[in-house]
Amino acid sequence: QLKLVESGGGSAQSGGSLRLSCKTSAYATLNFCLAWFRQELGKEREGVAFVHRNGRAQYADSIQGRFIISKDDSENTVYLQMNDLQPEDTAMYYCAADRRVCYDDAWNAPLKFSNWGQGTQVTVSS
């Protein structure tokens, strides 16, 4: 079972920043493609950002230019740097990983990921 452990969530003011981390099993960032999803209460889980095992990043239109996804293969960790946070960014943020999605241009669907972390809460106040 692939390990995915998120951390770094918390509270922020509008316009502030947070950095989320997703610690994975050894070599996972080299063998899997990973993504960050988020889910507000009562809403569907939505993709935020994706990083291919080759390092290529993709983003949801809703966060373009504000969030940056990156990975550190030596630390087996994926990061989500979130800048200019807004109240609508308030959600539980999840890290997800899968191998097959590496061959799929359309990453932005929860069903395409078979490994999930427990999530970390982000709350942004105005």
Side-chain angles (χ1 to χ4, degrees):
Q1 182 73 18
L2 185 65
K3 178 188 76 173
L4 298 167
V5 180
E6 303 95 333
S7 62
S11 298
Q13 294 286 327
S14 181
S17 298
L18 286 172
R19 188 176 81 154
L20 306 183
S21 300
C22 173
K23 182 73 173 179
T24 70
S25 302
Y27 307 110
T29 60
L30 293 171
N31 294 314
F32 289 79
C33 289
L34 295 108
W36 286 96
F37 283 77
R38 66 186 180 186
Q39 187 169 22
E40 298 175 62
L41 279 174
K43 295 189 177 181
E44 293 186 355
R45 195 167 294 191
E46 64 169 353
V48 175
F50 169 89
V51 62
H52 197 278
R53 56 193 177 195
N54 64 17
R56 175 175 55 88
Q58 292 179 262
Y59 298 93
D61 290 342
S62 60
I63 57 90
Q64 281 283 0
R66 296 192 298 124
F67 294 3
I68 301 171
I69 189 170
S70 62
K71 66 187 182 89
D72 185 333
D73 296 328
S74 66
E75 294 292 331
N76 304 309
T77 302
V78 178
Y79 301 99
L80 185 69
Q81 177 66 44
M82 304 188 295
N83 300 318
D84 190 24
L85 283 162
Q86 301 300 317
E88 54 265 33
D89 296 317
T90 295
M92 184 72 80
Y93 283 71
Y94 297 92
C95 182
D98 202 273
R99 292 182 194 268
R100 290 173 295 179
V101 75
C102 296
Y103 305 99
D104 191 338
D105 289 337
W107 62 272
N108 197 348
L111 287 176
K112 295 190 177 183
F113 291 83
S114 55
N115 300 280
W116 291 88
Q118 294 300 306
T120 185
Q121 178 68 37
V122 171
T123 302
V124 184
S125 56
S126 57

